[in-house]
Each structure stands twice: as C-alpha cells, then as structure tokens.
Amino acid sequence: MGRDEGGEQVAIVGAGLAGCLLAVLLGRRGVPVTVYERRPDPRVAGAERGRSINLAISARGLAALEQLGLRDQSLKQALPMHGRMVHPLPGGQNFQPYSADGERAINSISRAELNRSLLDTAEATPGVTLRFSQRVTGVDADAGTILLDDAGSEPADVVLAGDGAYSAVRESLALDADADFLEHGYKELTVPPKGGEFALDPDALHIWPRGTSMMIALPNLDRSFTCTLFWPKDDFAALDTPEKVTAYFERHYPDVAGLMPDLADDYAHNPVGSLVTVRCWPWTRYGDGAIVALLGDAAHAIVPFFGQGANCAFEDCIEIDRCLTEAGGDWARALSLYQERRKANTDAIAEMALDNFIEMRDRVSSPAYQAKQAATHALERRLAGRYVSRYELVSFSTMPYAEIPARIRRQNRVLAASVLGCLAAAALAARALRRG
C-alpha cells in the first residue's frame, strides 16, 4: 500500500470550501487532482436559495487561507463582528464582546463568495481539474474506481471525500458512522438595507434568544443581514399562512419584524434545513486498488453554533498536507497520521458546538450569565495569557480543539486554589486581629 505522492491519480469528491482548498494545496505540491462536484458550477448557476448559513471565519480558517494567499482577499469580502448583540423579548438589547480587550472579531463572510474565490484559485492552479455536474455515488476501493451517476466509473488511486454530511462516499464504504439530528431545523430570512444603510449594527452577530429556539443575523457587504431561524421542526409547519407568519414575528421578534418586507415570501419559499452531528470512525479505507479518506463534514459534521464548521474542515486540509510532507509523500502513512491526529479534535469541537447552542438560545440573556462573562473578561485582562476563555481559545487561537477542555479545567483549578488561599489568609488575619 505504499502509494507515493506524484504518481497516483487523486480524486477529490466535492468542490465545496474544503475540497477546493485541498485541491489547491495538492496542486501546489505537483499532485494532479481531479475534483468532482455534483452541482453545476455555482459561479454560473448561483447559490441555492436559503442554504447559505453565513460563515464566521476566525483564526483557524484565516490561517488556512493565508497558506493559499487568500487571507487578505477574504477579509475584504468579510465584515468583522466584535461581539454578540442580544435582543431579549422584553425589548432593549445588550452588546457582549467576544474578547476581553474588545479588539478581536470573528468575520461574517458569504459562503458563496468564499467558495467562488476558492474555485477561482483551484481553477488557476496547475494540475487541478474541476468537473461539475458529476455526481459521485460511491467508491470501489478494491477496484480503484469512483462510481458516477451516469457515466459508469473512473479510475482513482487516492480518493479524498469532502462531499458533506450526507456523504455518498462514506455510505458506499459502509464505514461506522452515527448521524445525530437535533429536533431543531433552520430557515433563512433576510433583513435588507434600510435607506441604503444597515438596518442593524453591522459590528455584531445578532441573537434573539427565546429559550427553546432562537434567531441570529449576520451582516453582508451589501448592507443586508442574513437571518437564520433555529426552531423545533414542528414549529415551522405551524405558520402556514402569511398572516400567521407576520403575527408571530411581531409578537416574538418585535424589534426586527418591521425590517423584513419580504418576510412572508422568504418564510414560505426558503427550505427548512436539518442540523446534524456526524461521528464516524475510521475515516479511511485501504482497498486493493485505492485509498479513500473522508474530510470535513463527511467525516465529522457539526452543528453551526460555534461558527467552526468551515474553520475545522480547513484544518483537516492543512493536516493532510502536513502529513504528506512528514510521510515523504506516502499516502497510506499520511492519511493514517491525519485521521489519528484529527479525530479527538473534531470530537471535542462537536461537543462544544452543541453546548454553545444551549448558551446562545438560553443563557446569553440571563443577568447571571452576563455577570459571569464580565468576570471572565476581567480575569483575562488581569491574568493576560494565563487565563483565557473557552471562546477565545476556540475562535482566536489555533490550539488543538482537544486540548481546550483540559486547559479550561486547569485554569479553573488554579483559580479556585488561589481564591481558597486568599480566603484562608484573610481568615487567619481576622483571627489574629481578634486575638490582638
């Protein structure tokens, strides 16, 4: 199984964000790559309606884009969000900065625009071939072929599957995978510009927490906002007339309902998407004819509530490239290293993303939560570099996800010991004063 980099036929399944980024990395290594995408070229056909979920690109994604020379270009297509703007139902709003110094931001960027940039870069990379409207239905790892919907099969020595949470490649290999669906779905809406300007503060990710559900809004360069409802799926069907939709939003989202002139139409025609966490192992299959590996959502789809799906998938691509270098181009060894290193990290961010959903929909409007966040930021400023919040470690560092929970536990133990020490010293001092 000692296939060496350079002499093999490499196929990437999926021309989404991760597939394109990986194609560029491999093309620059001199590895010829063919990328198969089931959709027509989105640069021509346009994005699917209501399927964007704007991306929040942060440190990990930016580090990957830097390797392609796309960091600055991507940031020009993005809008920084320095915190959350929480909209409680009683009215009013409060801004909660993401970082202790208020300077760091995550970046709202259109998934479609970033995909276009990556497609352009892949197309311009020598050795990379893009093939659209080519649906891959599976892989025969022993025969060394990928199976196409309407064109039989084509040979491939290495298959890298970035074909999403419902991966046809993963299904064809019968890998051990569990798909856990939330009872919630999502639907997208739009807040257009008002008088040519943003109708909401563009420096924030807006959240309308409503206990068991929520709505969020991210800014776009055209001064609109992409809003996403995260509701129990049964709740979507209950609003089956324009009048019910309008009345519901006026009651539950009163400060934004009047900013959505196309609310009823968007609600009626934009689809309801599912939210799934995929846990799979192994991510690789070593056949007699081909090595197959999963990446991105195909291996480890996560819910979007920490804004890490694309960031995490980009890290997969960087790790594959790094492992190829360490393995001297031996694909079998490289992909074995890749899955061993990434599995614990993707499991960790999957759990943190699920927890962040509860935080966003339930906790952020609580005075107790706000006091805790203020105390956390105060500690970060006082103990710079020694005490760092989970959010900052996830979004503003490239620390492996799997190391973050242990780092937080250590910090809290040290802090608790310090507080107890201070309390004990104060008690001793008080007793000494009483004796004196």
Side-chain angles (χ1 to χ4, degrees), residues 354-417:
L354 288 166
D355 181 67
N356 220 44
F357 181 33
I358 299 171
E359 177 172 307
M360 292 173 73
R361 77 181 198 210
D362 290 342
R363 301 173 188 157
V364 292
S365 57
S366 159
Y369 173 86
Q370 294 170 37
K372 178 184 174 183
Q373 288 300 98
T376 297
H377 285 329
L379 282 169
E380 289 182 273
R381 290 189 292 270
R382 182 75 178 268
L383 304 172
R386 290 177 290 163
Y387 190 94
V388 186
S389 71
R390 184 180 72 168
Y391 192 92
E392 294 213 28
L393 290 171
V394 169
S395 297
F396 304 133
S397 85
T398 55
M399 174 181 284
Y401 294 120
E403 295 179 12
I404 293 174
R407 163 72 185 261
I408 296 299
R409 288 194 295 271
R410 286 195 302 272
Q411 288 181 171
N412 290 340
R413 282 198 299 268
V414 170
L415 182 63

Side-chain angles (χ1 to χ4, degrees), residues 415-428:
L415 182 63
S418 177
V419 169
L420 288 173
C422 290
L423 290 174
L428 287 172

Side-chain angles (χ1 to χ4, degrees), residues 205-228:
L205 186 155
H206 293 258
I207 305 177
W208 288 260
R210 297 297 182 260
T212 59
S213 65
M214 69 175 180
M215 181 171 72
I216 67 171
L218 279 73
N220 300 308
L221 286 180
D222 66 1
R223 294 183 169 81
S224 69
F225 281 82
T226 298
C227 300
T228 308

Side-chain angles (χ1 to χ4, degrees), residues 137-139 163 165-175 177-179 278 294 298:
T137 60
V139 174
D163 54 340
Y166 308 105
S167 170
V169 172
R170 186 184 68 229
E171 291 300 311
S172 74
L173 297 174
L175 296 173
D178 292 319
V278 171
L294 308 178

Side-chain angles (χ1 to χ4, degrees), residues 74-296:
S74 298
L75 287 174
K76 289 177 182 177
Q77 298 174 326
L79 288 165
M81 301 178 294
H82 286 86
R84 298 166 172 163
M85 187 70 77
V86 179
H87 299 250
L89 185 55
Q93 52 188 269
N94 65 84
F95 181 76
Q96 301 174 8
Y98 284 132
S99 66
D101 59 10
E103 296 298 320
R104 293 178 173 180
I106 59 176
N107 301 281
S108 174
I109 187 170
S110 161
R111 177 185 294 272
E113 287 300 323
L114 183 56
N115 204 174
R116 287 189 192 101
S117 295
L118 287 165
L119 283 167
D120 288 344
T121 305
E123 194 168 57
T125 302
V128 175
T129 301
L130 302 176
R131 291 179 56 182
F132 297 99
S133 300
Q134 296 283 301
R135 182 185 293 273
V136 174
T137 60
V139 174
D140 186 333
D142 289 328
T145 57
I146 61 170
L147 311 176
L148 299 175
D149 192 25
D150 58 0
S153 63
E154 294 190 4
D157 300 302
V158 179
V159 181
L160 303 166
D163 54 340
Y166 308 105
S167 170
V169 172
R170 186 184 68 229
E171 291 300 311
S172 74
L173 297 174
L175 296 173
D176 186 12
D178 292 319
D180 295 330
F181 289 87
L182 289 184
E183 66 171 8
H184 293 70
Y186 72 88
K187 181 188 284 282
E188 293 189 349
L189 306 171
T190 300
V191 172
K194 184 178 181 180
E197 297 300 328
F198 288 103
L200 302 166
D201 183 350
D203 191 36
L205 186 155
H206 293 258
I207 305 177
W208 288 260
R210 297 297 182 260
T212 59
S213 65
M214 69 175 180
M215 181 171 72
I216 67 171
L218 279 73
N220 300 308
L221 286 180
D222 66 1
R223 294 183 169 81
S224 69
F225 281 82
T226 298
C227 300
T228 308
L229 302 171
F230 296 102
W231 291 359
K233 287 184 178 178
D234 291 345
D235 290 359
F236 286 108
L239 304 183
D240 54 4
T241 68
E243 293 75 20
K244 288 181 181 178
V245 171
T246 300
Y248 187 91
F249 274 77
E250 287 176 347
R251 186 165 63 253
H252 292 277
Y253 306 100
D255 61 338
V256 74
L259 302 176
M260 297 177 169
D262 298 322
L263 169 61
D265 184 67
D266 283 349
Y267 190 93
H269 294 102
N270 288 354
V272 176
S274 295
L275 298 164
V276 62
T277 300
V278 171
R279 296 178 179 87
C280 176
W281 189 255
W283 296 353
T284 57
R285 171 63 56 83
Y286 300 91
D288 292 335
I291 304 172
V292 186
L294 308 178
L295 65 136

